[in-house]
Amino acid sequence: MNDHATWRKSSYSGTEQGDCVELADLVGGIGLRDSKDARAGHLSLSRAELAELLRQIDS
């Protein structure tokens, strides 16, 4: 796991501790994790894979 990554969540998430996904810029890609359980690890995707995931979610 990348302990030095800066994890960010959307400003649309609000201030409550709800169901949020956080993103981090990692070497060679993007990390995604559940903000409620950051210690559980993260999913690493290339920028192209993340773009395709977002396209699939949006369609």
Side-chain angles (χ1 to χ4, degrees):
M1 185 178 297
N2 190 335
D3 293 333
H4 303 306
T6 300
W7 293 91
R8 296 180 177 90
K9 63 181 177 178
S10 171
S11 59
Y12 291 104
S13 296
T15 58
E16 296 187 22
Q17 298 295 326
D19 298 328
C20 301
V21 174
E22 295 177 317
L23 296 173
D25 187 14
L26 305 177
V27 175
I30 302 294
L32 286 100
R33 72 179 184 184
D34 182 347
S35 63
K36 294 185 313 297
D37 193 6
R39 295 185 310 163
H42 67 275
L43 174 65
S44 296
L45 300 170
S46 69
R47 293 180 189 285
E49 290 169 329
L50 178 60
E52 180 59 26
L53 174 63
L54 294 175
R55 273 192 290 276
Q56 293 292 322
I57 291 170
D58 191 42
S59 52

